[in-house]
Amino acid sequence: MRLLICLLFLGFAARAQDINAHGAGVLFHNGVYYLYGEIKKGKTWLVPGQTWEDYRVPAGGVSCYSSRDLVHWKNEGIALVPTVGDPSSDLDTGRVIERPKVIYNARTRKFVLWMHIDRNDYSYARVGVAVSDRPQGPYRYLGSMRPNGQESRDMTVYQDADGRAYLIYASENNKTMQVCLLSDDYLRPTAVYRRILVGQRREAPAVFKAQGRYYLITSLCSGWDPNAATYAVADSMLGQWRQEGNPCVGAGAESTFGAQSTYVLPLSRGRFLFMADRWNKTDLERSGYLWLPLTVDDGRVEVRHEGERYVIGGLALISYEMRVRGAVTGYSFLRCYTATDSLLLEYRAPVNEAQSGNYTETPPGTAYVRIGVSEGLSADSLHVELNAGEDHASHAPLCDLRQYMRPFWKGDTVYNETVLLDDSGGRLLYQPDRILAVRNYGLDTVFRLGVDYRLEGRRIVRLPGSRMRFRAGATFDKKDLAWYNLQSQWVVVSYTHHDRWRGPVPVYSGARLPRVEGLLRKSGARGHVASTKVRIVAYGMSITRGMDVSGYDGVAPYMPTYVSLFGKAVQARYPRAAVELYNAGLPGSTAAWGAQYAESYVVPLQPDLVLLDFGMNDFWRMRPAEFGDSVKAMIRKIRAGDPKAEFILLSNMKFDPAYVADSDRNKAFYVGNLAGYRDVLRSLEGNGVVGLDMTDISDVLYREKKAKDCVVNPLHPNDYLARWYAQGLTRLIVKDED
Ligand code: GAL
């Protein structure tokens, strides 16, 4: 049944943009479902002088759609046409025409349409009635009234099996509801009515009958904002109504999944469809719909949600947090689906102290995700961040990427080397012959020799009164594992030199990457016209993703991630190759995660070349042998998808040695693990697998300069160190980049 209703809803949702039927109701007549709703069209505006958020949109009358299966809908046109330019008319577009509901009177053979009629400030509080000989209208408006002199705002009608019909409406300044019996022809309220849910401030009523009892779902009065629904039960429409609690179950239940009830449609065999509106208060025309299965089991009404649905593409970071109520054990889930609704991957996160959440990545091919909780649980609050932590604004880099890709270990010019000045200054990698420029990190300020700084061998010394940023050593917390953030605090120096790099030098390894080499060579071959696809997938953790280079953090000079710099450099060298680059780096991920999910994240992309970059989240726990097993598992799984896939294994840069205090008993373990990972990766090199040793490169840099010149925080490279990654990778597959 759930599947069926999902299908119904998907069918409806797919056409939702074509359907304009809010606050809707349904009439089932002669095998056809007729859907009636408010037509919301035009610009939303806020009524001045109100104490509440009285957002309005022109009242467009009542729409009608018909369907035999609840999936395919035909637009039957406007069932009740509004009037234009006559403010005295109930149906004027400047008025309120809401929550239309139609019932059929078998005796008079008339279709009767009831609706909420109001003025913009909701002071009119009346119910209107219209009539037609045909279900789809046009309806003839008969007028509006206050039943028995009582206010009537949010309302619905209910037709019982015995032919009696009732009007149910929020009255008494929305504090109390009333149920009023309609006349036999359904055109007038009778004097028979009852006050129900007294003083409870309920509205948005939806009535249905199940197993001989009457149920009434309502919302609290909070304008267009969603709140928790409740259901009440009674033995007869004019009987005693008893509130039973929230029928909604699952993440988002506390806000009726972001929606407000409007109707409950009985289907065959005791099944029901719960229909609700997802108001978009500042753009009411774009309000959505939510249809969910409703069940009644032993008197208990439940509206379940398969999880909140979010549209998000593949390789995107997503995070959510929720507060959970209910069973002692259970989990929250994140399910990733394709555009054709097949489940790609499910993540489960345990519930701990009534909290659950996750931060993860969607696999390629994801079109949307659902977030929810396991059976027996409900979520009290759900906070979701799509594309978590990524800067949405795209900024063109302010730095010269060609200069940035000149290898640091070659030539005689260094561009924009970062130095964190402390109280006394900071050290360059090489002895400068000539300083070309010293700038701030954002590159918009040039510092002057003799004014801002002077040179002492390899040291830049900050002069008193200098505009250059510095970071006094004493401002660093000396605690074990004390975090810091140096983003943008460096100065950058361009200079010439003639001394040489004494650390490891990445060497061209094309011969061991025959596939990539072949593709690139082919694209570069004379006379080759069609572009040759070269697909590169980076699979790793935060550093891979780009944390925290300037482009990733959205600060000047907006340098792209190392993966992207690498892709651009390969593309620039082989303009006729079509380099396709995918970054599947998940911040926080471990090699074990990489091994577990390689089939989901890498294989579907059918890469020619895979960069494997793990370690920064592993050295805390994992010994080199196990780390090696994870990397081997990744290679095996990816090769099972394509035996010719090739790999570059990046060994992890070192963390800032000061991050772990010397007194920390585990320091040797951590440091030893990182060195061990480097060795184990080296042992995996061979045909189709080459390595880039960032462990040793970073180690030499930290000794020649200092770690804080090269990292943003203890674990992530800055633009300078990230460029060593990009330059090193490029050198492995591009022979003559100069
Ligand atoms: C809601 C009501 C809607 C509409 C809205 C106006 O509470 O359920 O139908 O009237 O207020 O703010």
Side-chain angles (χ1 to χ4, degrees), residues 509-514 609-610 612 631-632 635-636 639 643-650 680-692 732:
S509 305
R512 284 195 293 163
L513 299 175
L609 177 66
V610 183
L612 294 182
V631 175
K632 278 187 242 173
I635 296 178
R636 185 169 22 82
R639 279 188 172 156
K644 292 220 168 71
E646 294 178 340
F647 298 86
I648 299 180
L649 313 181
L650 292 95
V680 102
L681 292 179
R682 226 175 250 170
S683 75
L684 296 177
E685 289 181 32
N687 197 24
V689 185
V690 304
L692 175 66
L732 295 179

PDB file of all heavy atoms in Angstrom, residues 509-514 609-610 612 631-632 635-636 639 643-650 680-692 732:
ATOM      1  N   SER A 509      55.917   9.143 -14.541  1.00  0.00           N
ATOM      2  CA  SER A 509      55.726   7.695 -14.412  1.00  0.00           C
ATOM      3  C   SER A 509      54.780   7.145 -15.461  1.00  0.00           C
ATOM      4  O   SER A 509      54.104   6.142 -15.242  1.00  0.00           O
ATOM      5  CB  SER A 509      55.164   7.368 -13.022  1.00  0.00           C
ATOM      6  OG  SER A 509      55.994   7.900 -12.026  1.00  0.00           O
ATOM      7  N   GLY A 510      54.728   7.844 -16.591  1.00  0.00           N
ATOM      8  CA  GLY A 510      53.802   7.448 -17.658  1.00  0.00           C
ATOM      9  C   GLY A 510      53.932   5.985 -18.050  1.00  0.00           C
ATOM     10  O   GLY A 510      52.929   5.328 -18.345  1.00  0.00           O
ATOM     11  N   ALA A 511      55.144   5.474 -18.004  1.00  0.00           N
ATOM     12  CA  ALA A 511      55.351   4.096 -18.456  1.00  0.00           C
ATOM     13  C   ALA A 511      54.588   3.109 -17.586  1.00  0.00           C
ATOM     14  O   ALA A 511      54.205   2.033 -18.041  1.00  0.00           O
ATOM     15  CB  ALA A 511      56.846   3.768 -18.430  1.00  0.00           C
ATOM     16  N   ARG A 512      54.371   3.503 -16.310  1.00  0.00           N
ATOM     17  CA  ARG A 512      53.651   2.581 -15.438  1.00  0.00           C
ATOM     18  C   ARG A 512      52.145   2.852 -15.422  1.00  0.00           C
ATOM     19  O   ARG A 512      51.404   2.195 -14.702  1.00  0.00           O
ATOM     20  CB  ARG A 512      54.237   2.643 -14.033  1.00  0.00           C
ATOM     21  CG  ARG A 512      55.586   1.868 -13.997  1.00  0.00           C
ATOM     22  CD  ARG A 512      56.008   1.599 -12.596  1.00  0.00           C
ATOM     23  NE  ARG A 512      56.342   2.864 -11.941  1.00  0.00           N
ATOM     24  CZ  ARG A 512      56.445   3.013 -10.631  1.00  0.00           C
ATOM     25  NH1 ARG A 512      56.226   1.989  -9.835  1.00  0.00           N
ATOM     26  NH2 ARG A 512      56.770   4.168 -10.113  1.00  0.00           N
ATOM     27  N   LEU A 513      51.759   3.861 -16.178  1.00  0.00           N
ATOM     28  CA  LEU A 513      50.319   4.146 -16.307  1.00  0.00           C
ATOM     29  C   LEU A 513      49.973   4.087 -17.792  1.00  0.00           C
ATOM     30  O   LEU A 513      49.592   5.101 -18.400  1.00  0.00           O
ATOM     31  CB  LEU A 513      49.989   5.528 -15.731  1.00  0.00           C
ATOM     32  CG  LEU A 513      50.291   5.737 -14.242  1.00  0.00           C
ATOM     33  CD1 LEU A 513      50.036   7.190 -13.832  1.00  0.00           C
ATOM     34  CD2 LEU A 513      49.461   4.799 -13.363  1.00  0.00           C
ATOM     35  N   PRO A 514      50.081   2.904 -18.376  1.00  0.00           N
ATOM     36  CA  PRO A 514      49.984   2.819 -19.832  1.00  0.00           C
ATOM     37  C   PRO A 514      48.626   3.276 -20.383  1.00  0.00           C
ATOM     38  O   PRO A 514      48.556   3.846 -21.464  1.00  0.00           O
ATOM     39  CB  PRO A 514      50.208   1.330 -20.122  1.00  0.00           C
ATOM     40  CG  PRO A 514      50.030   0.626 -18.814  1.00  0.00           C
ATOM     41  CD  PRO A 514      50.374   1.607 -17.739  1.00  0.00           C
ATOM     42  N   LEU A 609      41.633   6.755 -14.416  1.00  0.00           N
ATOM     43  CA  LEU A 609      42.641   6.982 -13.388  1.00  0.00           C
ATOM     44  C   LEU A 609      41.952   7.325 -12.076  1.00  0.00           C
ATOM     45  O   LEU A 609      41.032   8.144 -12.049  1.00  0.00           O
ATOM     46  CB  LEU A 609      43.538   8.165 -13.810  1.00  0.00           C
ATOM     47  CG  LEU A 609      44.610   8.592 -12.817  1.00  0.00           C
ATOM     48  CD1 LEU A 609      45.665   7.494 -12.633  1.00  0.00           C
ATOM     49  CD2 LEU A 609      45.289   9.886 -13.272  1.00  0.00           C
ATOM     50  N   VAL A 610      42.422   6.692 -11.007  1.00  0.00           N
ATOM     51  CA  VAL A 610      41.836   6.958  -9.689  1.00  0.00           C
ATOM     52  C   VAL A 610      42.938   7.471  -8.765  1.00  0.00           C
ATOM     53  O   VAL A 610      44.004   6.853  -8.661  1.00  0.00           O
ATOM     54  CB  VAL A 610      41.231   5.679  -9.078  1.00  0.00           C
ATOM     55  CG1 VAL A 610      40.557   5.986  -7.741  1.00  0.00           C
ATOM     56  CG2 VAL A 610      40.245   5.046 -10.040  1.00  0.00           C
ATOM     57  N   LEU A 612      43.881   7.822  -5.039  1.00  0.00           N
ATOM     58  CA  LEU A 612      43.452   7.356  -3.716  1.00  0.00           C
ATOM     59  C   LEU A 612      44.215   8.141  -2.663  1.00  0.00           C
ATOM     60  O   LEU A 612      45.446   8.152  -2.658  1.00  0.00           O
ATOM     61  CB  LEU A 612      43.716   5.857  -3.555  1.00  0.00           C
ATOM     62  CG  LEU A 612      42.910   4.931  -4.467  1.00  0.00           C
ATOM     63  CD1 LEU A 612      43.223   3.466  -4.167  1.00  0.00           C
ATOM     64  CD2 LEU A 612      41.412   5.181  -4.333  1.00  0.00           C
ATOM     65  N   VAL A 631      43.455  -0.180   1.340  1.00  0.00           N
ATOM     66  CA  VAL A 631      43.798   0.359   0.022  1.00  0.00           C
ATOM     67  C   VAL A 631      43.778  -0.764  -1.022  1.00  0.00           C
ATOM     68  O   VAL A 631      43.272  -0.591  -2.137  1.00  0.00           O
ATOM     69  CB  VAL A 631      45.163   1.085   0.065  1.00  0.00           C
ATOM     70  CG1 VAL A 631      45.576   1.549  -1.332  1.00  0.00           C
ATOM     71  CG2 VAL A 631      45.086   2.270   1.025  1.00  0.00           C
ATOM     72  N   LYS A 632      44.282  -1.921  -0.615  1.00  0.00           N
ATOM     73  CA  LYS A 632      44.250  -3.058  -1.549  1.00  0.00           C
ATOM     74  C   LYS A 632      42.799  -3.408  -1.912  1.00  0.00           C
ATOM     75  O   LYS A 632      42.493  -3.712  -3.066  1.00  0.00           O
ATOM     76  CB  LYS A 632      44.924  -4.286  -0.915  1.00  0.00           C
ATOM     77  CG  LYS A 632      46.439  -4.249  -1.055  1.00  0.00           C
ATOM     78  CD  LYS A 632      47.049  -5.553  -0.561  1.00  0.00           C
ATOM     79  CE  LYS A 632      47.960  -5.250   0.622  1.00  0.00           C
ATOM     80  NZ  LYS A 632      48.486  -6.402   1.308  1.00  0.00           N
ATOM     81  N   ILE A 635      41.525  -1.008  -4.472  1.00  0.00           N
ATOM     82  CA  ILE A 635      42.068  -1.296  -5.806  1.00  0.00           C
ATOM     83  C   ILE A 635      41.369  -2.524  -6.398  1.00  0.00           C
ATOM     84  O   ILE A 635      40.952  -2.527  -7.557  1.00  0.00           O
ATOM     85  CB  ILE A 635      43.604  -1.505  -5.730  1.00  0.00           C
ATOM     86  CG1 ILE A 635      44.267  -0.199  -5.271  1.00  0.00           C
ATOM     87  CG2 ILE A 635      44.161  -1.980  -7.066  1.00  0.00           C
ATOM     88  CD1 ILE A 635      45.773  -0.267  -5.093  1.00  0.00           C
ATOM     89  N   ARG A 636      41.208  -3.535  -5.563  1.00  0.00           N
ATOM     90  CA  ARG A 636      40.583  -4.766  -6.044  1.00  0.00           C
ATOM     91  C   ARG A 636      39.151  -4.493  -6.520  1.00  0.00           C
ATOM     92  O   ARG A 636      38.759  -4.897  -7.611  1.00  0.00           O
ATOM     93  CB  ARG A 636      40.596  -5.808  -4.913  1.00  0.00           C
ATOM     94  CG  ARG A 636      40.081  -7.167  -5.321  1.00  0.00           C
ATOM     95  CD  ARG A 636      40.352  -8.267  -4.274  1.00  0.00           C
ATOM     96  NE  ARG A 636      40.570  -7.818  -2.912  1.00  0.00           N
ATOM     97  CZ  ARG A 636      39.599  -7.509  -2.038  1.00  0.00           C
ATOM     98  NH1 ARG A 636      38.338  -7.594  -2.384  1.00  0.00           N
ATOM     99  NH2 ARG A 636      39.907  -7.127  -0.797  1.00  0.00           N
ATOM    100  N   ARG A 639      39.133  -2.457  -9.666  1.00  0.00           N
ATOM    101  CA  ARG A 639      39.562  -3.268 -10.817  1.00  0.00           C
ATOM    102  C   ARG A 639      38.531  -4.323 -11.185  1.00  0.00           C
ATOM    103  O   ARG A 639      38.473  -4.759 -12.339  1.00  0.00           O
ATOM    104  CB  ARG A 639      40.904  -3.928 -10.518  1.00  0.00           C
ATOM    105  CG  ARG A 639      42.057  -2.959 -10.744  1.00  0.00           C
ATOM    106  CD  ARG A 639      43.378  -3.678 -10.642  1.00  0.00           C
ATOM    107  NE  ARG A 639      44.475  -2.810 -11.027  1.00  0.00           N
ATOM    108  CZ  ARG A 639      45.723  -2.980 -10.619  1.00  0.00           C
ATOM    109  NH1 ARG A 639      46.019  -3.992  -9.807  1.00  0.00           N
ATOM    110  NH2 ARG A 639      46.665  -2.169 -11.023  1.00  0.00           N
ATOM    111  N   PRO A 643      39.298  -3.821 -15.048  1.00  0.00           N
ATOM    112  CA  PRO A 643      40.630  -4.343 -14.732  1.00  0.00           C
ATOM    113  C   PRO A 643      41.756  -3.405 -15.182  1.00  0.00           C
ATOM    114  O   PRO A 643      42.865  -3.491 -14.670  1.00  0.00           O
ATOM    115  CB  PRO A 643      40.703  -5.660 -15.509  1.00  0.00           C
ATOM    116  CG  PRO A 643      39.322  -5.942 -15.973  1.00  0.00           C
ATOM    117  CD  PRO A 643      38.527  -4.679 -15.929  1.00  0.00           C
ATOM    118  N   LYS A 644      41.438  -2.497 -16.095  1.00  0.00           N
ATOM    119  CA  LYS A 644      42.510  -1.634 -16.611  1.00  0.00           C
ATOM    120  C   LYS A 644      42.588  -0.280 -15.891  1.00  0.00           C
ATOM    121  O   LYS A 644      43.405   0.565 -16.253  1.00  0.00           O
ATOM    122  CB  LYS A 644      42.297  -1.401 -18.102  1.00  0.00           C
ATOM    123  CG  LYS A 644      42.500  -2.656 -18.947  1.00  0.00           C
ATOM    124  CD  LYS A 644      43.229  -2.285 -20.241  1.00  0.00           C
ATOM    125  CE  LYS A 644      43.734  -3.491 -20.996  1.00  0.00           C
ATOM    126  NZ  LYS A 644      42.634  -4.265 -21.595  1.00  0.00           N
ATOM    127  N   ALA A 645      41.736  -0.075 -14.899  1.00  0.00           N
ATOM    128  CA  ALA A 645      41.783   1.206 -14.189  1.00  0.00           C
ATOM    129  C   ALA A 645      43.169   1.393 -13.577  1.00  0.00           C
ATOM    130  O   ALA A 645      43.781   0.432 -13.106  1.00  0.00           O
ATOM    131  CB  ALA A 645      40.717   1.229 -13.098  1.00  0.00           C
ATOM    132  N   GLU A 646      43.641   2.623 -13.585  1.00  0.00           N
ATOM    133  CA  GLU A 646      44.972   2.910 -13.039  1.00  0.00           C
ATOM    134  C   GLU A 646      44.873   3.819 -11.819  1.00  0.00           C
ATOM    135  O   GLU A 646      43.873   4.506 -11.623  1.00  0.00           O
ATOM    136  CB  GLU A 646      45.833   3.539 -14.135  1.00  0.00           C
ATOM    137  CG  GLU A 646      46.078   2.522 -15.239  1.00  0.00           C
ATOM    138  CD  GLU A 646      46.883   3.027 -16.419  1.00  0.00           C
ATOM    139  OE1 GLU A 646      46.975   4.250 -16.612  1.00  0.00           O
ATOM    140  OE2 GLU A 646      47.415   2.163 -17.154  1.00  0.00           O
ATOM    141  N   PHE A 647      45.950   3.815 -11.035  1.00  0.00           N
ATOM    142  CA  PHE A 647      45.890   4.456  -9.714  1.00  0.00           C
ATOM    143  C   PHE A 647      47.100   5.324  -9.427  1.00  0.00           C
ATOM    144  O   PHE A 647      48.219   4.963  -9.796  1.00  0.00           O
ATOM    145  CB  PHE A 647      45.821   3.382  -8.618  1.00  0.00           C
ATOM    146  CG  PHE A 647      44.610   2.531  -8.716  1.00  0.00           C
ATOM    147  CD1 PHE A 647      44.601   1.404  -9.538  1.00  0.00           C
ATOM    148  CD2 PHE A 647      43.456   2.856  -8.027  1.00  0.00           C
ATOM    149  CE1 PHE A 647      43.465   0.622  -9.656  1.00  0.00           C
ATOM    150  CE2 PHE A 647      42.315   2.076  -8.139  1.00  0.00           C
ATOM    151  CZ  PHE A 647      42.322   0.963  -8.954  1.00  0.00           C
ATOM    152  N   ILE A 648      46.841   6.418  -8.751  1.00  0.00           N
ATOM    153  CA  ILE A 648      47.932   7.136  -8.088  1.00  0.00           C
ATOM    154  C   ILE A 648      47.611   7.096  -6.596  1.00  0.00           C
ATOM    155  O   ILE A 648      46.519   7.518  -6.170  1.00  0.00           O
ATOM    156  CB  ILE A 648      48.056   8.594  -8.568  1.00  0.00           C
ATOM    157  CG1 ILE A 648      48.364   8.629 -10.070  1.00  0.00           C
ATOM    158  CG2 ILE A 648      49.152   9.313  -7.782  1.00  0.00           C
ATOM    159  CD1 ILE A 648      48.497  10.040 -10.649  1.00  0.00           C
ATOM    160  N   LEU A 649      48.518   6.555  -5.819  1.00  0.00           N
ATOM    161  CA  LEU A 649      48.326   6.475  -4.372  1.00  0.00           C
ATOM    162  C   LEU A 649      49.055   7.642  -3.732  1.00  0.00           C
ATOM    163  O   LEU A 649      50.269   7.783  -3.886  1.00  0.00           O
ATOM    164  CB  LEU A 649      48.903   5.165  -3.834  1.00  0.00           C
ATOM    165  CG  LEU A 649      48.536   3.896  -4.600  1.00  0.00           C
ATOM    166  CD1 LEU A 649      49.176   2.671  -3.931  1.00  0.00           C
ATOM    167  CD2 LEU A 649      47.017   3.739  -4.665  1.00  0.00           C
ATOM    168  N   LEU A 650      48.311   8.484  -3.032  1.00  0.00           N
ATOM    169  CA  LEU A 650      48.959   9.606  -2.362  1.00  0.00           C
ATOM    170  C   LEU A 650      49.219   9.222  -0.921  1.00  0.00           C
ATOM    171  O   LEU A 650      48.292   8.810  -0.215  1.00  0.00           O
ATOM    172  CB  LEU A 650      48.068  10.850  -2.401  1.00  0.00           C
ATOM    173  CG  LEU A 650      47.875  11.466  -3.779  1.00  0.00           C
ATOM    174  CD1 LEU A 650      46.603  10.952  -4.420  1.00  0.00           C
ATOM    175  CD2 LEU A 650      47.826  12.984  -3.669  1.00  0.00           C
ATOM    176  N   VAL A 680      53.781   1.284   3.065  1.00  0.00           N
ATOM    177  CA  VAL A 680      52.862   0.268   2.554  1.00  0.00           C
ATOM    178  C   VAL A 680      52.358   0.676   1.160  1.00  0.00           C
ATOM    179  O   VAL A 680      52.229  -0.155   0.255  1.00  0.00           O
ATOM    180  CB  VAL A 680      51.750   0.056   3.606  1.00  0.00           C
ATOM    181  CG1 VAL A 680      50.470   0.739   3.263  1.00  0.00           C
ATOM    182  CG2 VAL A 680      51.532  -1.397   3.877  1.00  0.00           C
ATOM    183  N   LEU A 681      52.127   1.967   0.967  1.00  0.00           N
ATOM    184  CA  LEU A 681      51.675   2.424  -0.359  1.00  0.00           C
ATOM    185  C   LEU A 681      52.774   2.202  -1.395  1.00  0.00           C
ATOM    186  O   LEU A 681      52.514   1.778  -2.521  1.00  0.00           O
ATOM    187  CB  LEU A 681      51.270   3.895  -0.323  1.00  0.00           C
ATOM    188  CG  LEU A 681      50.003   4.209   0.485  1.00  0.00           C
ATOM    189  CD1 LEU A 681      49.713   5.711   0.471  1.00  0.00           C
ATOM    190  CD2 LEU A 681      48.792   3.440  -0.043  1.00  0.00           C
ATOM    191  N   ARG A 682      53.989   2.487  -0.965  1.00  0.00           N
ATOM    192  CA  ARG A 682      55.115   2.289  -1.880  1.00  0.00           C
ATOM    193  C   ARG A 682      55.175   0.827  -2.343  1.00  0.00           C
ATOM    194  O   ARG A 682      55.434   0.538  -3.508  1.00  0.00           O
ATOM    195  CB  ARG A 682      56.408   2.634  -1.141  1.00  0.00           C
ATOM    196  CG  ARG A 682      57.329   3.507  -1.963  1.00  0.00           C
ATOM    197  CD  ARG A 682      58.517   3.909  -1.149  1.00  0.00           C
ATOM    198  NE  ARG A 682      58.481   5.334  -0.832  1.00  0.00           N
ATOM    199  CZ  ARG A 682      59.303   5.913   0.041  1.00  0.00           C
ATOM    200  NH1 ARG A 682      60.174   5.194   0.742  1.00  0.00           N
ATOM    201  NH2 ARG A 682      59.220   7.199   0.251  1.00  0.00           N
ATOM    202  N   SER A 683      54.888  -0.065  -1.398  1.00  0.00           N
ATOM    203  CA  SER A 683      54.981  -1.487  -1.742  1.00  0.00           C
ATOM    204  C   SER A 683      53.877  -1.915  -2.703  1.00  0.00           C
ATOM    205  O   SER A 683      53.960  -2.979  -3.309  1.00  0.00           O
ATOM    206  CB  SER A 683      54.920  -2.344  -0.468  1.00  0.00           C
ATOM    207  OG  SER A 683      53.582  -2.373   0.001  1.00  0.00           O
ATOM    208  N   LEU A 684      52.838  -1.095  -2.822  1.00  0.00           N
ATOM    209  CA  LEU A 684      51.748  -1.454  -3.742  1.00  0.00           C
ATOM    210  C   LEU A 684      51.989  -0.941  -5.154  1.00  0.00           C
ATOM    211  O   LEU A 684      51.234  -1.234  -6.072  1.00  0.00           O
ATOM    212  CB  LEU A 684      50.415  -0.889  -3.233  1.00  0.00           C
ATOM    213  CG  LEU A 684      49.927  -1.436  -1.894  1.00  0.00           C
ATOM    214  CD1 LEU A 684      48.643  -0.742  -1.455  1.00  0.00           C
ATOM    215  CD2 LEU A 684      49.697  -2.933  -1.996  1.00  0.00           C
ATOM    216  N   GLU A 685      53.028  -0.137  -5.326  1.00  0.00           N
ATOM    217  CA  GLU A 685      53.287   0.421  -6.657  1.00  0.00           C
ATOM    218  C   GLU A 685      53.683  -0.687  -7.622  1.00  0.00           C
ATOM    219  O   GLU A 685      54.227  -1.707  -7.217  1.00  0.00           O
ATOM    220  CB  GLU A 685      54.390   1.485  -6.581  1.00  0.00           C
ATOM    221  CG  GLU A 685      53.905   2.753  -5.895  1.00  0.00           C
ATOM    222  CD  GLU A 685      54.972   3.836  -5.838  1.00  0.00           C
ATOM    223  OE1 GLU A 685      55.799   3.905  -6.780  1.00  0.00           O
ATOM    224  OE2 GLU A 685      54.989   4.585  -4.860  1.00  0.00           O
ATOM    225  N   GLY A 686      53.403  -0.477  -8.857  1.00  0.00           N
ATOM    226  CA  GLY A 686      53.731  -1.476  -9.877  1.00  0.00           C
ATOM    227  C   GLY A 686      53.051  -1.074 -11.148  1.00  0.00           C
ATOM    228  O   GLY A 686      52.691   0.109 -11.315  1.00  0.00           O
ATOM    229  N   ASN A 687      52.794  -2.034 -11.992  1.00  0.00           N
ATOM    230  CA  ASN A 687      52.156  -1.659 -13.245  1.00  0.00           C
ATOM    231  C   ASN A 687      50.732  -1.173 -12.981  1.00  0.00           C
ATOM    232  O   ASN A 687      49.949  -1.855 -12.345  1.00  0.00           O
ATOM    233  CB  ASN A 687      52.159  -2.857 -14.199  1.00  0.00           C
ATOM    234  CG  ASN A 687      51.896  -2.385 -15.624  1.00  0.00           C
ATOM    235  OD1 ASN A 687      52.150  -1.205 -15.945  1.00  0.00           O
ATOM    236  ND2 ASN A 687      51.361  -3.255 -16.451  1.00  0.00           N
ATOM    237  N   GLY A 688      50.449   0.035 -13.435  1.00  0.00           N
ATOM    238  CA  GLY A 688      49.112   0.597 -13.231  1.00  0.00           C
ATOM    239  C   GLY A 688      48.933   1.295 -11.897  1.00  0.00           C
ATOM    240  O   GLY A 688      47.884   1.861 -11.635  1.00  0.00           O
ATOM    241  N   VAL A 689      49.946   1.272 -11.064  1.00  0.00           N
ATOM    242  CA  VAL A 689      49.834   1.916  -9.746  1.00  0.00           C
ATOM    243  C   VAL A 689      51.113   2.688  -9.451  1.00  0.00           C
ATOM    244  O   VAL A 689      52.191   2.096  -9.365  1.00  0.00           O
ATOM    245  CB  VAL A 689      49.626   0.876  -8.617  1.00  0.00           C
ATOM    246  CG1 VAL A 689      49.397   1.574  -7.281  1.00  0.00           C
ATOM    247  CG2 VAL A 689      48.464  -0.055  -8.935  1.00  0.00           C
ATOM    248  N   VAL A 690      50.999   3.996  -9.320  1.00  0.00           N
ATOM    249  CA  VAL A 690      52.176   4.785  -8.952  1.00  0.00           C
ATOM    250  C   VAL A 690      51.854   5.587  -7.693  1.00  0.00           C
ATOM    251  O   VAL A 690      50.697   5.681  -7.287  1.00  0.00           O
ATOM    252  CB  VAL A 690      52.640   5.721 -10.094  1.00  0.00           C
ATOM    253  CG1 VAL A 690      52.901   4.932 -11.376  1.00  0.00           C
ATOM    254  CG2 VAL A 690      51.633   6.818 -10.339  1.00  0.00           C
ATOM    255  N   GLY A 691      52.879   6.172  -7.096  1.00  0.00           N
ATOM    256  CA  GLY A 691      52.664   6.862  -5.827  1.00  0.00           C
ATOM    257  C   GLY A 691      53.142   8.304  -5.858  1.00  0.00           C
ATOM    258  O   GLY A 691      54.018   8.674  -6.645  1.00  0.00           O
ATOM    259  N   LEU A 692      52.522   9.110  -5.012  1.00  0.00           N
ATOM    260  CA  LEU A 692      53.024  10.466  -4.786  1.00  0.00           C
ATOM    261  C   LEU A 692      53.263  10.588  -3.286  1.00  0.00           C
ATOM    262  O   LEU A 692      52.322  10.453  -2.491  1.00  0.00           O
ATOM    263  CB  LEU A 692      52.003  11.515  -5.244  1.00  0.00           C
ATOM    264  CG  LEU A 692      52.412  12.957  -4.937  1.00  0.00           C
ATOM    265  CD1 LEU A 692      53.652  13.365  -5.734  1.00  0.00           C
ATOM    266  CD2 LEU A 692      51.271  13.920  -5.215  1.00  0.00           C
ATOM    267  N   LEU A 732      53.636  13.357 -12.461  1.00  0.00           N
ATOM    268  CA  LEU A 732      53.603  11.900 -12.642  1.00  0.00           C
ATOM    269  C   LEU A 732      53.090  11.503 -14.018  1.00  0.00           C
ATOM    270  O   LEU A 732      53.514  10.496 -14.572  1.00  0.00           O
ATOM    271  CB  LEU A 732      52.719  11.237 -11.567  1.00  0.00           C
ATOM    272  CG  LEU A 732      53.206  11.355 -10.126  1.00  0.00           C
ATOM    273  CD1 LEU A 732      52.214  10.681  -9.185  1.00  0.00           C
ATOM    274  CD2 LEU A 732      54.583  10.711  -9.950  1.00  0.00           C
TER     275      LEU A 732
END
